[in-house]
Amino acid sequence: MTQRNILVTNALPYANGPIHLGHLLGYIQADIWVRFQRMQGHTVHYVCADDAHGTSIMLSAEKAGIAPETWIEGIRQEHHRDFQRFHVDFDIYHSTHSEENRELASHIYQQLRQHGKIDTRKITQLFDPEKGLFLADRFIKGTCPKCKAEDQYGDNCEVCSSTYAATDLINPRSTISGATPVLRDSEHYFFKLTDFADFLREWTRRDGVLANSVANKLAEWIDGGLQQWDISRDAPYFGFEIPGAPGKYFYVWLDAPIGYMASFRKLCNEQGLDFDAFWKGDGNNSELWHFIGKDIVNFHALFWPAMLTTAGFRLPTAISVNGFITINGQKMSKSRGTFIMADTYFKHLNPEYLRYYFAAKLGSNPDDLDLNLDDFALRVNADVVGKVVNIASRCAGFIGKNFGGQLSATDSEPALTAGFQQAAAELASLYDAREFGKATRLIMALADKANAWIAEKAPWSVSKANPQSQQVQDICSVGLNLFRLLMIYLKPVLPAMTKQVEDFLQIAPLQWSDGQTLLLGHKIGTFSPLMTRVDPAAIAAMIEASKDSLAAVAEAQPVVAVDSPLTKEPVAAEIEFPDFAKVDMRIALVVNAQHVEGADKLLQLTLSLGPDDKGADVQRNVFSGIKSAYKPESLIGKHVVLVANLKARKMKFGWSEGMILAAGDGKEIFLIAPHDGAKPGTRVT
């Protein structure tokens, strides 16, 4: 086996809030892979850090009445604590607000500038005259210029789904101070990403770098035309000042990925490692793996490789992308108590329950993962407790009580044990390919086989006649050896439970190669329960506690005290019946639905209102901002309610001839639909 030298990084969590279950998916995935590679005997360095710059952090620290440095260090310690609780074992957990990162960010920027990849030009932005800072779109609200909906953000309307410039908002206001922003010019610095289209088109298609689905999505962005990337922000800003540009700071996403390099340099300085062996040259003698969520693919697979290649650093070997997490089939929800913090989970449930459940459902593609809490309890209880631990509990008592903890000197079932040992090669291939779900299914199939064999041999029945029979010792010794093999295969997923097993079996820390040998004539220790069953009451308590903890967080934030649709959007002013009568709402049949290229929120619907007086089908084209809640194919054949006499309006993607009715708060969307029997064209009264 060729020795591999691997540097693994995880996406940097933002230092402005706690770790939640959505975060943990990617970190657990990476940790499992790292642990497997180390069990194989490979050299792996595993680094991470807090992403610790930006306006949001500056404002949070200001609100708390502390220095930003104090704020980010407190968050960093909390993040690191949560990762350790879930057995995510970084070699170093650093911060982007470090001298290592400052030096590397400055060096890379100067390289980009020397190679002619930095442009400067003036842009016009909204400025908060009270706070004295330029406002990002998320810090501006006002009235939508298209549909006139109030309290909309500076880049898009959550009501009509229009996109626009913040300068187009009617009556804009700063969400920071409440002041009316003013227009102000400022010189900004841009990275010429436009120069890298051909390079990125080739690199993103290199074998093994990205999943095909991710490469396909990137191809859409590349072929659609790359834009120059704004890499600067104006003071006041918490971050690193751009060399030679007083009052200008690196945008947080420039120095965030450089944080991978900075964290590793810190580790190199502490342990005497060779930084250049992993970051210089073509990477033939080392590997660089990034584990990230799919929401930040563009930064890691477009901007980052373009920066690296220009600055003379190696490119990533691979970027492993995970999907989003839902809980019980829906987005994590504060009101339902399913927006669960890592700390809240830890106080109620064993972290290895979550590690196993994630592993059982993870593959190499960036598919979303649903944490169904009922399935979560059933799977952990059935698999880990009911299958794996059950093998040890069935056999250990007989060995301890009747044979002084001594296992048989010979293997009485060599064909059976050989089959378990031979599975190691396939399992290693699955782990290396990050197909953890397939690996766990194979492991559980082996566990089923072991349990069936023990049930057939029934040592409890044999023991009744002669408790110290050789047959009993042989059966239970085989069972415990099968259990040991299963724990070798599960060690990357369940490191804490494996440590308990190692102590129980009185063996050294398990390596993958240990599966080629058996414990013969070996003395084991006293068995104690390795993992208890998931208690549904603990899940219920966690959900309830999540509601409480989030309420406490909410108190510290400037949000509406009562989480109610009416408090967020009061009933509009009264109208007379003739005003309402002007609105012509009709039942419409969705005959086609499709994605809108280049639109994040819109679906294009073809609606039928039924035949006119000449028998011709009356159809309308409508763009609707319901993409986040509905797949196009699920809508075809459904009836909706259409505002039929709404004046058609020209949008970026074409004319929209009406509006369909839906309820929601911008985060959750529910179409208004008639009961069965309503026919297209029928007026809603």
Side-chain angles (χ1 to χ4, degrees):
M1 182 179 65
T2 304
Q3 177 71 31
R4 297 168 68 180
N5 297 297
I6 312 170
L7 174 59
V8 176
T9 77
N10 260 132
L12 312 185
Y14 197 49
N16 206 35
I19 301 297
H20 55 68
L21 297 196
H23 290 125
L24 285 172
L25 179 63
Y27 299 96
I28 288 173
Q29 181 184 36
D31 183 80
I32 292 172
W33 194 76
V34 166
R35 289 178 182 274
F36 164 74
Q37 300 297 350
R38 286 173 172 167
M39 286 184 71
Q40 291 282 89
H42 302 307
T43 299
V44 186
H45 306 291
Y46 186 23
V47 305
C48 195
D50 263 7
D51 181 5
H53 288 155
T55 302
S56 297
I57 286 172
M58 180 181 71
L59 294 173
S60 293
E62 180 183 297
K63 184 178 179 180
I66 58 178
E69 292 82 359
T70 305
W71 172 271
I72 63 173
E73 178 55 23
I75 296 291
R76 191 192 71 82
Q77 291 180 15
E78 289 180 7
H79 286 178
H80 195 203
R81 175 206 66 193
D82 286 340
F83 290 134
Q84 288 178 317
R85 285 172 167 178
F86 286 82
H87 313 296
V88 178
D89 191 21
F90 300 117
D91 292 309
I92 187 171
Y93 192 78
H94 204 27
S95 169
T96 59
H97 192 66
S98 66
E99 281 306 307
E100 295 88 0
N101 206 30
R102 185 192 302 272
E103 292 171 4
L104 284 162
S106 297
H107 171 75
I108 289 174
Y109 167 78
Q110 289 165 342
Q111 288 296 305
L112 300 181
R113 193 167 188 88
Q114 289 176 19
H115 285 83
K117 301 304 180 182
I118 300 296
D119 196 9
T120 60
R121 64 176 182 269
K122 285 188 177 181
I123 65 171
T124 301
Q125 292 175 281
L126 289 173
F127 182 83
D128 187 327
E130 290 190 14
K131 291 296 294 184
L133 54 78
F134 286 95
L135 296 169
D137 292 343
R138 65 183 179 279
F139 294 128
I140 307 167
K141 281 192 171 183
T143 301
C144 172
K146 306 294 178 63
C147 74
K148 306 301 187 290
E150 297 183 356
D151 204 38
Q152 300 304 307
Y153 284 104
D155 56 352
N156 70 91
C157 177
E158 295 180 335
V159 176
C160 71
S161 301
S162 297
T163 58
Y164 41 74
T167 51
D168 295 331
L169 277 176
I170 301 169
N171 297 323
R173 71 181 187 283
S174 166
T175 61
I176 301 170
S177 70
T180 300
V182 297
L183 290 173
R184 185 170 293 185
D185 290 340
S186 175
E187 186 175 53
H188 273 232
Y189 291 66
F190 294 83
F191 176 50
K192 295 180 180 179
L193 188 65
T194 48
D195 292 354
F196 295 88
D198 291 340
F199 161 74
L200 291 170
R201 195 175 286 111
E202 184 274 329
W203 181 78
T204 56
R205 292 295 185 181
R206 290 183 187 178
D207 187 42
V209 172
L210 294 158
N212 286 334
S213 59
V214 177
N216 292 339
K217 182 62 181 178
L218 291 168
E220 293 178 14
W221 293 337
I222 297 169
D223 295 340
L226 298 173
Q227 304 295 316
Q228 290 192 351
W229 181 36
D230 190 347
I231 62 168
S232 68
R233 295 294 185 268
D234 292 279
Y237 191 82
F238 183 61
F240 296 143
E241 198 167 50
I242 298 176
K248 305 292 181 180
Y249 289 78
F250 289 128
Y251 172 47
V252 60
W253 263 110
L254 182 130
D255 65 60
I258 297 172
Y260 302 141
M261 305 175 75
S263 299
F264 185 61
R265 174 163 283 180
K266 174 79 168 173
L267 185 67
C268 290
N269 293 339
E270 292 179 352
Q271 299 187 2
L273 303 173
D274 186 353
F275 179 86
D276 288 348
F278 287 86
W279 285 104
K280 293 289 184 133
D282 55 13
N284 283 338
N285 298 317
S286 65
E287 301 174 39
L288 172 62
W289 286 71
H290 297 312
F291 284 76
I292 64 168
K294 65 182 180 182
D295 56 323
I296 53 176
V297 165
N298 58 333
F299 295 108
H300 286 80
L302 297 177
F303 307 127
W304 182 230
M307 288 167 51
L308 287 171
T309 195
T310 305
F313 293 104
R314 60 92 45 80
L315 297 172
T317 306
I319 301 175
S320 179
V321 183
N322 64 268
F324 299 132
I325 185 174
T326 57
I327 297 183
N328 292 339
Q330 297 178 306
K331 292 180 181 179
M332 293 193 298
S333 164
K334 296 179 181 181
S335 62
R336 290 189 293 268
T338 55
F339 200 98
I340 303 168
M341 302 302 173
D343 181 61
T344 309
Y345 176 103
F346 179 77
K347 290 175 179 175
H348 294 86
L349 294 166
N350 186 336
E352 293 206 308
Y353 295 161
L354 190 70
R355 288 181 65 99
Y356 179 77
Y357 191 77
F358 281 171
K361 303 191 74 173
L362 274 168
S364 59
N365 290 314
D367 300 322
D368 294 344
L369 186 152
D370 183 50
L371 172 55
N372 181 288
L373 294 173
D374 290 334
D375 180 56
F376 165 79
L378 288 170
R379 185 172 301 213
V380 172
N381 291 343
D383 289 0
V384 183
V385 181
K387 295 180 181 180
V388 178
V389 174
N390 188 52
I391 298 170
S393 65
R394 279 175 141 183
C395 298
F398 293 108
I399 297 293
K401 182 179 179 181
N402 301 323
F403 304 97
Q406 193 77 16
L407 299 177
S408 295
T410 59
D411 178 14
S412 62
E413 295 284 342
L416 178 64
T417 54
F420 276 60
Q421 291 173 313
Q422 289 164 6
E426 182 178 355
L427 286 167
S429 178
L430 291 171
Y431 268 118
D432 190 53
R434 306 177 318 283
E435 294 291 351
F436 303 152
K438 293 179 181 178
T440 56
R441 287 194 290 276
L442 176 54
I443 294 167
M444 291 306 142
L446 292 172
D448 285 335
K449 189 174 182 179
N451 277 296
W453 179 83
I454 294 169
E456 179 187 344
K457 297 297 182 181
W460 44 87
S461 297
V462 180
S463 181
K464 287 180 181 178
N466 182 4
Q468 295 183 320
S469 138
Q470 184 65 47
Q471 187 179 0
V472 173
Q473 187 182 25
D474 288 346
I475 294 169
C476 294
S477 296
V478 169
L480 288 172
N481 269 287
L482 298 180
F483 168 73
R484 171 180 167 271
L485 290 170
L486 294 176
M487 290 310 303
I488 292 173
Y489 304 150
L490 283 170
K491 184 173 180 176
V493 179
L494 303 173
M497 179 173 149
T498 304
K499 178 62 170 63
Q500 292 178 268
V501 171
E502 292 163 349
D503 293 342
F504 154 56
L505 294 177
Q506 298 186 0
I507 55 176
L510 289 165
Q511 302 300 316
W512 200 263
S513 59
D514 291 334
Q516 300 309 305
T517 61
L518 300 175
L519 297 182
L520 301 174
H522 178 83
K523 188 169 183 176
I524 65 173
T526 303
F527 178 80
S528 59
L530 298 169
M531 183 175 287
T532 59
R533 298 173 66 83
V534 180
D535 184 356
I539 294 177
M542 176 185 69
I543 292 172
E544 193 60 34
S546 296
K547 296 177 182 177
D548 295 340
S549 64
L550 285 158
V553 172
E555 289 176 4
Q557 303 297 323
V559 297
V560 179
V562 179
D563 187 14
S564 162
L566 287 177
T567 59
K568 294 177 180 178
E569 188 175 359
V571 175
E574 285 186 355
I575 61 172
E576 299 293 336
F577 185 82
D579 296 318
F580 172 75
K582 294 178 182 178
V583 182
D584 189 354
M585 292 179 288
R586 302 283 177 147
I587 306 301
L589 175 68
V590 182
V591 297
N592 194 29
Q594 60 190 24
H595 294 291
V596 180
E597 186 174 354
D600 294 330
K601 298 183 177 182
L602 295 178
L603 294 180
Q604 183 176 6
L605 308 179
T606 302
L607 306 177
S608 170
L609 289 168
D612 61 14
D613 57 356
K614 297 179 181 178
D617 189 35
V618 178
Q619 293 191 349
R620 297 285 181 85
N621 182 73
V622 174
F623 292 97
S624 182
I626 59 174
K627 184 176 179 177
S628 64
Y630 295 93
K631 294 181 178 179
E633 58 270 24
S634 70
L635 296 172
I636 298 173
K638 293 187 178 297
H639 290 92
V640 296
V641 178
L642 171 72
V643 179
N645 65 334
L646 186 66
K647 184 178 180 180
R649 58 192 178 96
K650 192 173 189 316
M651 302 179 68
K652 177 181 178 181
F653 309 100
W655 286 91
S656 185
E657 305 168 309
M659 178 184 294
I660 61 171
L661 299 190
D665 57 2
K667 298 178 181 178
E668 295 181 307
I669 302 171
F670 305 92
L671 283 175
I672 307 298
H675 286 291
D676 292 340
K679 299 188 181 297
T682 304
R683 186 163 186 173
V684 178
T685 59

